[in-house]
Amino acid sequence: MELVCPAGNIEKLEYAYNYGADTAYIGLKRFSLRVKADNFYDDEYKKIVELKKKFPKKRLFCALNIAFHNNDLSLFMKNLDYFHHYPIDAFIVQDLGLVRLLQSEFPGTHLHLSTQASCMNKEAVKMYRDLGFKRVVLGREVSLSEIREIKDAVPDMELECFAHGAMCIAYSGRCLMSAYLTGRSAQSGFCSHSCRWDYDLLTNGNIAIKDGRLSRLNKEGGTISAEEAKAIAESGILALEEHQRRGQFFPVFEGDNFTALLSSKDLCMIDHLKDMKDAGVDAIKIEGRMKSVYYVAMVTRAYRKALDALDGTISAEAAAPFIASLQDVPHRECTTGFYYTRADADKTTVGASDSPYLLAATIERSYSPEETEQILGEGERRLAEREQELSLMHPSARAAVLRDIEKNPEKEIRTISRKDGWHIYKLQALNKIDEGTDIELVSPDVLGTNLSGSEYEFVNPKTGERRSWVNADHDCAIYTSAHIQDGTLVRMKDGAYVPGKIRTTGREKKA
C-alpha cells in the first residue's frame, strides 16, 4: 500500500519524504481545507521542483478540496499559469465543477476524489471512474467490509483511506459547526475547531449538570436518574456555553438516537494495516497538514516501518519499537473509527493532543571541514584578543574587569575547544534549550540516540563562542562526537507531562 502523508509547508514536505512517505499532499493558498496551514505560494514551486529531484521516486498530490463559490472559481482560473509551475501528480477535489477545467488544463495529472465528497458505495465509485477519476478517497464512515465490496465491483479504481489522525464530529469532515458558531466555514478552509472547545452544559432554568449531578441556583441537588436525564435531554432546555464566550448559549437537543457531541477520538489503524490491505485499500493516508514537523516525521516513520514489515522488507521485531513510538507523538485517545463498528467511532473524548516530548530543534546539515576550521579559528581569535586586552591593562583595571565578569558570567568569552572526533552541525532551534539539558536525536532509521548535557556544546557559528542556551532567534550549531544524519530531529522531555493523563486544552476555568 502507498503511504500518503501531509505537508503544510516546504519544511514538512521534505520531512515527509525523508521519513518514509511515498507521496505527500499539499494545499495551495485559498483553495484547500487547511487555510491556516502555511500551504504553498509565491515561488516555492522552485524549491519543490528541486525537492522532487532529490527524491525522484516520490509523488506530490495537491488538495483543491474546498467547496468552490463563483468567486473562488474565478480566482483559481486567474492563477492557472502559476499552478502549472508545480510538479503535481494528482489533484484532490470534491467539487465536480473543477473536473473538466482540470482535465483540460492539466491533461497529464490524475484526478482524485476528496473524502469530502462522501463516496461510500460501488455505484458512486463507478460514476467517478467514468468521469475520469483515477482514485477515490473514500468517506470516513465506510467499513472494511464495504471497501472489499467496492474493490471487487470496481477493481480498476484506486481506493485511498485515512489510517491515522484527527477526526471530526461531522459527515466525512463536512462540518457546519464552525460556521454556525464563529462564521468561519470549514468548507472554505477556515475551521475554528469548535468541537475541541470546552463547554458547560446548562439549561435556561439556571440548572447545570456535571458528573451526573444536578445543580440548581448554586445548591447541590441529588443525583439524577437515567429517565430524568433523558427527559431533560429531549426537553429542548439544554444549551452549551463555551468557557471563553460567556453569555453566548448554543442550543442542544437530543432525540431518540443519542448522538455523541463534539470532540472525537483520533484515528489509529497502525495495528490493522493487513486488514486494510486485504479489504482492497491501495493507499493509506495520514491526516495533519496543520500538525508540527515532529508529528509529520514521527507518524510517517512509524507507518513506513509498519508497511515495510507487512511487505516483508523488514521483520516485525525491527518495526515494533518504531510503531510503539507513536505514543511519543501528540495524540488524543485513539479509535479504529468506522472500519469495524460505528460504536467505536461514536465514542468521544476530552482533552488536547498530548506527548511526553517537546520538539527542541532540527539538524539541517553537517559543517564541512573548512567551515569547522573557520568556526574554531574565529573563537580562538576572539579569545586571544580578550587575553591580549587584559594583559595590556593596568593591574587594578584588569582586576575590576575580572570581578565584573565573575558577577556577570555572560560577559565571559567562552569558546569551543578542538576535540578529536567531534563535529559541528547546523542547528535550527525551535524551543529554548539550556546547555546541559539531556536531549534525544531521532531520525528516519534511528529510533532515538540520547545525548547527556556533557556530550555536546552549543556554539555560535559566526563567532565560535559557546552559548549557554539557544532559541529560535539564535544562529546556532551543536558540537558533539555523535554522528548526526541530516534531517535529524532533536527532542527533549516535557516536564509538565504526566504519564497516563491527557492534559486539558488549557481553555478551562481557573480555580
Short mmCIF file of all heavy atoms in Angstrom, two decimals, residues 25 34 115-116 118-120 137-143 161-168 170-173 267 285-288 336-339 345:
data_model
loop_
_atom_site.label_atom_id
_atom_site.label_comp_id
_atom_site.label_asym_id
_atom_site.label_seq_id
_atom_site.Cartn_x
_atom_site.Cartn_y
_atom_site.Cartn_z
N TYR A 25 0.91 15.18 0.32
CA TYR A 25 -0.12 16.04 -0.26
C TYR A 25 -0.03 17.43 0.37
O TYR A 25 0.21 17.58 1.56
CB TYR A 25 -1.52 15.45 -0.10
CG TYR A 25 -2.01 15.23 1.32
CD1 TYR A 25 -2.89 16.14 1.92
CD2 TYR A 25 -1.64 14.12 2.06
CE1 TYR A 25 -3.37 15.94 3.21
CE2 TYR A 25 -2.11 13.91 3.35
CZ TYR A 25 -2.97 14.82 3.91
OH TYR A 25 -3.44 14.62 5.20
N ARG A 34 -7.33 23.58 4.56
CA ARG A 34 -6.47 23.93 5.68
C ARG A 34 -5.82 25.26 5.39
O ARG A 34 -4.62 25.37 5.20
CB ARG A 34 -5.42 22.83 5.94
CG ARG A 34 -6.00 21.53 6.44
CD ARG A 34 -6.62 21.69 7.82
NE ARG A 34 -7.18 20.44 8.32
CZ ARG A 34 -8.43 20.06 8.19
NH1 ARG A 34 -9.28 20.83 7.54
NH2 ARG A 34 -8.86 18.91 8.67
N THR A 115 -12.21 12.94 0.20
CA THR A 115 -13.13 12.32 1.17
C THR A 115 -14.32 13.22 1.45
O THR A 115 -15.37 12.75 1.87
CB THR A 115 -12.38 12.00 2.48
OG1 THR A 115 -13.21 11.22 3.32
CG2 THR A 115 -11.98 13.27 3.22
N GLN A 116 -14.17 14.53 1.19
CA GLN A 116 -15.27 15.46 1.41
C GLN A 116 -16.48 15.16 0.54
O GLN A 116 -17.59 15.60 0.84
CB GLN A 116 -14.80 16.89 1.13
CG GLN A 116 -13.71 17.41 2.04
CD GLN A 116 -14.20 17.63 3.45
OE1 GLN A 116 -13.75 17.01 4.39
NE2 GLN A 116 -15.16 18.52 3.60
N SER A 118 -17.79 12.32 0.22
CA SER A 118 -18.54 11.26 0.90
C SER A 118 -18.90 10.10 -0.02
O SER A 118 -20.04 9.63 -0.03
CB SER A 118 -19.82 11.83 1.53
OG SER A 118 -19.51 12.85 2.44
N CYS A 119 -17.95 9.65 -0.80
CA CYS A 119 -18.16 8.50 -1.68
C CYS A 119 -17.99 7.21 -0.88
O CYS A 119 -16.92 6.94 -0.36
CB CYS A 119 -17.19 8.54 -2.85
SG CYS A 119 -17.39 7.21 -4.03
N MET A 120 -19.07 6.41 -0.82
CA MET A 120 -19.02 5.23 0.05
C MET A 120 -19.74 4.01 -0.53
O MET A 120 -20.01 3.06 0.18
CB MET A 120 -19.64 5.55 1.42
CG MET A 120 -18.83 6.56 2.21
SD MET A 120 -19.53 6.89 3.83
CE MET A 120 -21.06 7.72 3.35
N VAL A 137 -10.78 8.84 -2.56
CA VAL A 137 -10.51 8.80 -1.12
C VAL A 137 -11.87 8.61 -0.46
O VAL A 137 -12.69 9.53 -0.43
CB VAL A 137 -9.85 10.10 -0.63
CG1 VAL A 137 -9.47 9.96 0.85
CG2 VAL A 137 -8.61 10.42 -1.47
N LEU A 138 -12.12 7.41 0.01
CA LEU A 138 -13.45 7.04 0.48
C LEU A 138 -13.84 7.84 1.72
O LEU A 138 -12.99 8.28 2.51
CB LEU A 138 -13.50 5.55 0.80
CG LEU A 138 -13.41 4.63 -0.43
CD1 LEU A 138 -13.23 3.18 -0.01
CD2 LEU A 138 -14.65 4.78 -1.31
N GLY A 139 -15.16 8.02 1.89
CA GLY A 139 -15.67 8.68 3.08
C GLY A 139 -15.26 7.93 4.33
O GLY A 139 -15.13 6.69 4.32
N ARG A 140 -15.06 8.64 5.40
CA ARG A 140 -14.53 8.02 6.62
C ARG A 140 -15.53 7.07 7.28
O ARG A 140 -15.17 6.29 8.16
CB ARG A 140 -14.10 9.10 7.61
CG ARG A 140 -13.00 9.98 7.06
CD ARG A 140 -12.50 10.95 8.12
NE ARG A 140 -11.67 12.00 7.53
CZ ARG A 140 -10.52 12.40 8.05
NH1 ARG A 140 -10.06 11.83 9.13
NH2 ARG A 140 -9.85 13.38 7.48
N GLU A 141 -16.79 7.16 6.89
CA GLU A 141 -17.81 6.31 7.52
C GLU A 141 -17.85 4.91 6.91
O GLU A 141 -18.61 4.05 7.37
CB GLU A 141 -19.19 6.95 7.37
CG GLU A 141 -19.35 8.25 8.13
CD GLU A 141 -18.73 9.44 7.43
OE1 GLU A 141 -18.38 9.32 6.23
OE2 GLU A 141 -18.57 10.50 8.07
N VAL A 142 -17.05 4.62 5.89
CA VAL A 142 -17.09 3.34 5.22
C VAL A 142 -16.41 2.27 6.08
O VAL A 142 -15.42 2.53 6.78
CB VAL A 142 -16.43 3.44 3.83
CG1 VAL A 142 -14.92 3.60 3.95
CG2 VAL A 142 -16.78 2.25 2.96
N SER A 143 -16.93 1.05 6.05
CA SER A 143 -16.36 -0.07 6.81
C SER A 143 -15.42 -0.88 5.93
O SER A 143 -15.44 -0.76 4.69
CB SER A 143 -17.46 -0.97 7.35
OG SER A 143 -18.11 -1.65 6.28
N CYS A 161 -7.70 5.43 1.79
CA CYS A 161 -8.46 5.57 3.03
C CYS A 161 -7.57 6.16 4.12
O CYS A 161 -6.37 5.86 4.19
CB CYS A 161 -8.98 4.20 3.51
SG CYS A 161 -10.14 3.43 2.37
N PHE A 162 -8.17 6.97 4.98
CA PHE A 162 -7.43 7.51 6.11
C PHE A 162 -7.11 6.40 7.10
O PHE A 162 -7.94 5.54 7.39
CB PHE A 162 -8.24 8.60 6.81
CG PHE A 162 -8.15 9.94 6.14
CD1 PHE A 162 -9.08 10.32 5.18
CD2 PHE A 162 -7.12 10.81 6.44
CE1 PHE A 162 -8.99 11.55 4.54
CE2 PHE A 162 -7.02 12.05 5.82
CZ PHE A 162 -7.95 12.41 4.86
N ALA A 163 -5.87 6.43 7.60
CA ALA A 163 -5.44 5.44 8.58
C ALA A 163 -5.06 6.07 9.91
O ALA A 163 -4.99 5.37 10.92
CB ALA A 163 -4.24 4.66 8.04
N HIS A 164 -4.80 7.38 9.93
CA HIS A 164 -4.30 7.99 11.17
C HIS A 164 -4.61 9.48 11.20
O HIS A 164 -4.55 10.16 10.17
CB HIS A 164 -2.79 7.80 11.27
CG HIS A 164 -2.24 8.06 12.65
ND1 HIS A 164 -2.13 7.08 13.60
CD2 HIS A 164 -1.81 9.20 13.23
CE1 HIS A 164 -1.64 7.61 14.71
NE2 HIS A 164 -1.44 8.90 14.51
N GLY A 165 -4.95 9.97 12.39
CA GLY A 165 -5.08 11.40 12.59
C GLY A 165 -6.42 11.81 13.17
O GLY A 165 -7.26 10.97 13.52
N ALA A 166 -6.61 13.10 13.29
CA ALA A 166 -7.81 13.66 13.90
C ALA A 166 -9.03 13.40 13.03
O ALA A 166 -8.95 13.34 11.81
CB ALA A 166 -7.64 15.17 14.12
N MET A 167 -10.17 13.23 13.70
CA MET A 167 -11.45 13.09 13.01
C MET A 167 -12.37 14.20 13.50
O MET A 167 -12.10 14.87 14.49
CB MET A 167 -12.07 11.72 13.27
CG MET A 167 -11.23 10.56 12.76
SD MET A 167 -12.16 9.02 12.63
CE MET A 167 -12.68 8.78 14.33
N CYS A 168 -13.47 14.40 12.78
CA CYS A 168 -14.43 15.44 13.11
C CYS A 168 -15.76 14.83 13.50
O CYS A 168 -16.12 13.76 13.02
CB CYS A 168 -14.66 16.38 11.91
SG CYS A 168 -13.19 17.16 11.25
N ALA A 170 -18.61 15.15 12.29
CA ALA A 170 -19.20 15.67 11.06
C ALA A 170 -19.25 14.53 10.06
O ALA A 170 -18.63 13.49 10.25
CB ALA A 170 -18.34 16.81 10.50
N TYR A 171 -19.99 14.73 8.98
CA TYR A 171 -20.11 13.69 7.97
C TYR A 171 -18.97 13.83 6.98
O TYR A 171 -18.92 14.79 6.21
CB TYR A 171 -21.46 13.81 7.26
CG TYR A 171 -21.87 12.54 6.56
CD1 TYR A 171 -22.39 11.47 7.28
CD2 TYR A 171 -21.72 12.41 5.19
CE1 TYR A 171 -22.76 10.30 6.64
CE2 TYR A 171 -22.09 11.25 4.55
CZ TYR A 171 -22.60 10.19 5.27
OH TYR A 171 -22.96 9.02 4.65
N SER A 172 -18.05 12.86 7.01
CA SER A 172 -16.85 12.89 6.17
C SER A 172 -16.11 14.22 6.27
O SER A 172 -15.54 14.72 5.31
CB SER A 172 -17.21 12.61 4.71
OG SER A 172 -17.64 11.29 4.56
N GLY A 173 -16.15 14.82 7.45
CA GLY A 173 -15.45 16.09 7.66
C GLY A 173 -16.22 17.30 7.19
O GLY A 173 -15.74 18.42 7.28
N LEU A 267 -8.03 8.79 14.98
CA LEU A 267 -7.99 7.52 14.25
C LEU A 267 -6.58 6.95 14.31
O LEU A 267 -5.60 7.67 14.12
CB LEU A 267 -8.40 7.75 12.80
CG LEU A 267 -8.38 6.53 11.88
CD1 LEU A 267 -9.43 5.51 12.32
CD2 LEU A 267 -8.62 6.95 10.43
N LYS A 285 -3.73 7.01 4.19
CA LYS A 285 -3.49 8.44 4.28
C LYS A 285 -3.37 8.87 5.73
O LYS A 285 -4.15 8.42 6.59
CB LYS A 285 -4.65 9.19 3.62
CG LYS A 285 -4.43 10.67 3.39
CD LYS A 285 -5.51 11.21 2.49
CE LYS A 285 -5.17 12.58 1.95
NZ LYS A 285 -6.14 13.01 0.92
N ILE A 286 -2.41 9.75 5.99
CA ILE A 286 -2.21 10.34 7.31
C ILE A 286 -2.79 11.75 7.29
O ILE A 286 -2.50 12.54 6.39
CB ILE A 286 -0.71 10.42 7.68
CG1 ILE A 286 -0.04 9.05 7.48
CG2 ILE A 286 -0.54 10.91 9.12
CD1 ILE A 286 -0.61 7.94 8.30
N GLU A 287 -3.62 12.07 8.28
CA GLU A 287 -4.18 13.42 8.40
C GLU A 287 -3.17 14.32 9.11
O GLU A 287 -2.42 13.86 9.95
CB GLU A 287 -5.49 13.37 9.19
CG GLU A 287 -6.19 14.69 9.40
CD GLU A 287 -5.67 15.52 10.55
OE1 GLU A 287 -5.11 14.93 11.50
OE2 GLU A 287 -5.83 16.76 10.52
N GLY A 288 -3.14 15.64 8.78
CA GLY A 288 -2.31 16.51 9.60
C GLY A 288 -1.50 17.58 8.92
O GLY A 288 -0.35 17.82 9.30
N THR A 336 -10.51 2.98 16.08
CA THR A 336 -10.41 2.42 14.73
C THR A 336 -11.51 2.99 13.84
O THR A 336 -11.75 2.50 12.74
CB THR A 336 -10.50 0.89 14.75
OG1 THR A 336 -11.70 0.50 15.44
CG2 THR A 336 -9.29 0.28 15.45
N GLY A 337 -12.18 4.04 14.31
CA GLY A 337 -13.17 4.73 13.50
C GLY A 337 -14.34 3.84 13.13
O GLY A 337 -14.85 3.07 13.95
N PHE A 338 -14.76 3.90 11.88
CA PHE A 338 -15.91 3.15 11.39
C PHE A 338 -15.51 1.84 10.72
O PHE A 338 -16.38 1.13 10.20
CB PHE A 338 -16.69 3.99 10.37
CG PHE A 338 -17.33 5.21 10.97
CD1 PHE A 338 -16.63 6.40 11.08
CD2 PHE A 338 -18.64 5.19 11.42
CE1 PHE A 338 -17.22 7.54 11.61
CE2 PHE A 338 -19.24 6.31 11.95
CZ PHE A 338 -18.53 7.49 12.05
N TYR A 339 -14.23 1.50 10.72
CA TYR A 339 -13.77 0.36 9.94
C TYR A 339 -14.35 -0.97 10.43
O TYR A 339 -14.63 -1.87 9.63
CB TYR A 339 -12.24 0.29 9.94
CG TYR A 339 -11.63 1.36 9.07
CD1 TYR A 339 -10.76 2.31 9.61
CD2 TYR A 339 -11.91 1.43 7.71
CE1 TYR A 339 -10.20 3.29 8.80
CE2 TYR A 339 -11.36 2.40 6.90
CZ TYR A 339 -10.50 3.33 7.45
OH TYR A 339 -9.95 4.31 6.65
N ALA A 345 -16.50 4.55 16.77
CA ALA A 345 -16.35 5.92 16.28
C ALA A 345 -17.23 6.89 17.05
O ALA A 345 -16.92 8.08 17.14
CB ALA A 345 -16.70 5.97 14.80
#
